[in-house]
Amino acid sequence: MEAILGIIIAALLSQNFILVKFYGICPFMGVSKKIDTALGMGMAVTFVMALASAACWVVNEFLLVPLNLGYMQTVAFILVIASIVQVVEMFLKKAVPALYKALGVFLPLITTNCAVLGVVLVNVQEGYNFLISVINGAAGGLGFTLAIVLFASIRARVDKANPPECFQGFPIALITAGLLALAFMGFSGLSIF
Amino acid sequence: MNFKKQFKEGLLTKNPVTVQLLGMCSTLAITTSLFNGLGMGAAVTIILICSNVLISALRKVIPSQIRIAAYITIIAGFVTVVDLFLQAFIPDLAESLGVFIPLIVVNCIVLGRAEAFASKNGVLASAVDGLCQGIGYTVALTIVCVIRELLGSGTFGGGLLNGGEGIRLIPAEYPAMQMVMPVGGFLVLGFVIAGSQWLMQHLEKKNKKKEAAK
C-alpha cells in the first residue's frame, strides 16, 4: 500500500512526467492553447497510458519473456500502443461521439506521445508487477493532465503579453514552461516513504 | 535535386528543432553534456537516413491507409538495431541516454520526415534529406548542450574530453545546478529558439533591403 502511494505521489509531483522527466513535450506544447482541449487530451492520454501499461505488461510477461524476445520490446510495445489507440478511437466514435469530436485529431496523435511508450518501458525496466504497472500508468497520465492544464491556464495569460518580436510564440511558451518546471522542482525532495 | 538548398533548410530555415519544433522530448531531456548531444544526434541521424531510404523505396508498395503503422514498424526496427549496437559497443552512451534511445521511435522528426518527405520522393533525395535534417537536429542539440553544460556544470565537452571530465571553464563552486535540471532545458531551448528566430528575421530584413535597393 505504501509503495503504491509512493508511486502515485512520484508520478504526480516529484517525478512529473512532463516537467521533470520530459516525456510528452510535443502535446504539452501543441495542445495547451485552450484549457478545455488540454483537459480532454490529458484524460485521453491517462486512459491510454493505463490501458497500454496493462496490455504491454501482459505482452511482455506472457509473450516476450517466455519466447526470449526481449530485444523486440520496442517494436512490440509500439504496435500494442498503436492498436490500443486505434481501438479507443473506434470505440469512442461509436459510443461517445461527443467526446470523440472534442478530441478530434489529438486522438491518433497519442500513439506518438512518448509518455505512453516511456511509461511502458519504465514499467518493464523497473520490473513492476501488473497492479503497480497499471497504477504507474494511470498516475503518470494524471501527472501529465495536471501539468498540461496548469500550463494551458498560464498560457492563456502569456498570449496576451507583448514579448520582444523574436520571443513571440514558442520561445516565450518554453520559458513559461521552464518557470513551471522550477516550481515543480520544489517537489523534488518530496518522498513520504 | 538540390543538395545545397536541402542542407540550408535542414540547418536553419527548416531546422527540425528550432523551426519545425519536432522532437522536443529528447532535445530537452538529454542535452546535459556534449557527449550526450553528439551521441543522440548521431543516433537519430543514422535512423533518419535508414528509415527515409527504406520508406522511400517502399513508398509505392505500402497502402496509404496503414502507412503510419508501417512507418512506425520500420522505424522501430532501426531504433532497435541502434539501441542494441550502442548497448554492445558504447555502453556509457547507452546508459546516459537511457530510455530516450527506444523513445526515438516516437520522435516526431523521424515519423515527420517519413510522412512529409520520404513518402513522396526518390531514394537518393530521401537519404540526403535524412542526412540534412539529422545534421540540423545534431547542431541544435549540440548548441543547447554546450550552453547547458557550461552554465550548469561549468565544463565543456563532458564525457568526451579530458578523460570524460570535460574542460573546466567555471570553477566548481559557481555553476548553477538548475541549468542541467529540467528548468534549464526549457529556458535554454527557449532562448536558443528565440535566437534562431532573431537570426532569420534579421536575414529576411537584409534580403528585403537588398531587393528594395535593386
Side-chain angles (χ1 to χ4, degrees):
Chain A
M1 194 58 217
E2 284 181 356
I4 292 177
L5 208 60
I7 281 179
I8 293 176
I9 298 275
L12 270 176
L13 299 173
S14 60
Q15 292 290 320
N16 186 286
F17 263 63
I18 295 181
L19 295 167
V20 180
K21 284 184 165 173
F22 290 126
Y23 299 145
I25 299 291
C26 298
F28 179 63
M29 288 293 165
V31 200
S32 58
K33 293 212 171 92
K34 276 193 192 150
I35 300 174
D36 305 351
T37 43
L39 191 62
M41 182 68 178
M43 304 292 254
V45 168
T46 308
F47 184 64
V48 172
M49 272 169 82
L51 213 59
S53 297
C56 290
W57 188 87
V58 172
V59 167
N60 188 54
E61 200 74 357
F62 295 108
L63 214 63
L64 297 182
V65 171
L67 295 176
N68 268 330
L69 285 173
Y71 59 88
M72 287 292 283
Q73 256 177 21
T74 318
V75 183
F77 289 169
I78 194 72
L79 286 177
V80 171
I81 292 168
S83 8
I84 288 176
V85 173
Q86 194 79 53
V87 170
V88 168
E89 198 183 344
M90 287 194 285
F91 173 77
L92 283 183
K93 202 175 180 179
K94 282 274 178 213
V96 204
L99 186 62
Y100 174 77
K101 259 194 193 147
L103 287 175
V105 70
F106 305 131
L107 255 182
L109 283 181
I110 296 175
T111 310
T112 54
N113 183 337
C114 42
V116 183
L117 187 61
V119 78
V120 170
L121 288 169
V122 168
N123 283 343
V124 171
Q125 269 173 16
E126 299 282 324
Y128 288 152
N129 64 26
F130 182 75
L131 184 67
I132 303 269
S133 293
V134 175
I135 289 175
N136 193 30
L142 288 177
F144 178 90
T145 314
L146 178 72
I148 199 171
V149 170
L150 275 178
F151 185 55
S153 327
I154 301 175
R155 219 174 157 181
R157 296 219 154 205
V158 171
D159 281 349
K160 293 200 172 64
N162 190 18
E165 198 183 351
C166 58
F167 273 95
Q168 267 164 22
F170 207 73
I172 195 75
L174 270 174
I175 288 168
T176 315
L179 296 179
L180 197 55
L182 192 63
F184 267 71
M185 232 174 83
F187 292 120
S188 61
L190 188 72
S191 60
I192 309 174
F193 310 105
Chain B
M1 207 182 78
N2 191 338
F3 182 76
K4 213 178 147 191
K5 183 172 155 256
Q6 273 183 320
F7 187 70
K8 198 185 160 198
E9 280 187 351
L11 203 61
L12 186 67
T13 53
K14 280 193 185 164
N15 186 292
V17 178
T18 59
V19 180
Q20 301 181 51
L21 309 172
L22 298 174
M24 286 291 137
C25 306
S26 52
T27 314
L28 287 167
I30 53 90
T31 49
T32 48
S33 75
L34 190 64
F35 182 52
N36 280 358
L38 290 177
M40 187 72 180
V44 169
T45 308
I46 290 167
I47 292 166
L48 250 174
I49 298 173
C50 295
S51 69
N52 260 7
V53 165
L54 191 60
I55 287 167
S56 167
L58 295 174
R59 69 185 187 279
K60 293 193 177 113
V61 187
I62 300 172
S64 71
Q65 293 91 343
I66 57 148
R67 65 181 192 286
I68 302 288
Y71 296 165
I72 288 192
T73 316
I74 292 171
I75 296 166
F78 285 119
V79 170
T80 307
V81 171
V82 169
D83 190 11
L84 293 176
F85 178 84
L86 287 183
Q87 277 176 24
F89 293 102
I90 323 179
D92 288 351
L93 187 63
E95 195 173 320
S96 95
L97 295 179
V99 76
F100 283 93
I101 299 172
L103 282 183
I104 297 175
V105 179
V106 286
N107 189 322
C108 338
I109 297 173
V110 187
L111 193 63
R113 290 328 283 177
E115 173 76 4
F117 198 92
S119 62
K120 297 181 190 108
N121 290 283
V123 174
L124 191 61
S126 299
V128 173
D129 179 72
L131 180 67
C132 294
Q133 294 285 328
I135 290 174
Y137 176 76
T138 311
V139 168
L141 217 59
T142 311
I143 293 174
V144 179
C145 280
V146 169
I147 299 175
R148 274 183 85 181
E149 199 192 335
L150 178 66
L151 295 178
S153 325
T155 54
F156 174 78
L160 271 183
L161 306 170
N162 199 7
E165 294 208 349
I167 300 163
R168 183 154 289 287
L169 297 173
I170 300 177
E173 59 264 39
Y174 293 122
M177 264 298 287
Q178 287 76 8
M179 296 313 275
V180 287
M181 294 172 106
V183 189
F186 284 112
L187 291 181
V188 170
L189 188 63
F191 277 100
V192 167
I193 293 178
S196 97
Q197 283 192 3
W198 178 84
L199 189 64
M200 275 187 294
Q201 283 161 0
H202 187 73
L203 289 177
E204 211 170 282
K205 271 179 202 158
K206 233 179 169 179
N207 280 344
K208 267 186 192 158
K209 261 187 199 165
K210 253 189 202 167
E211 275 171 26
K214 272 179 193 168

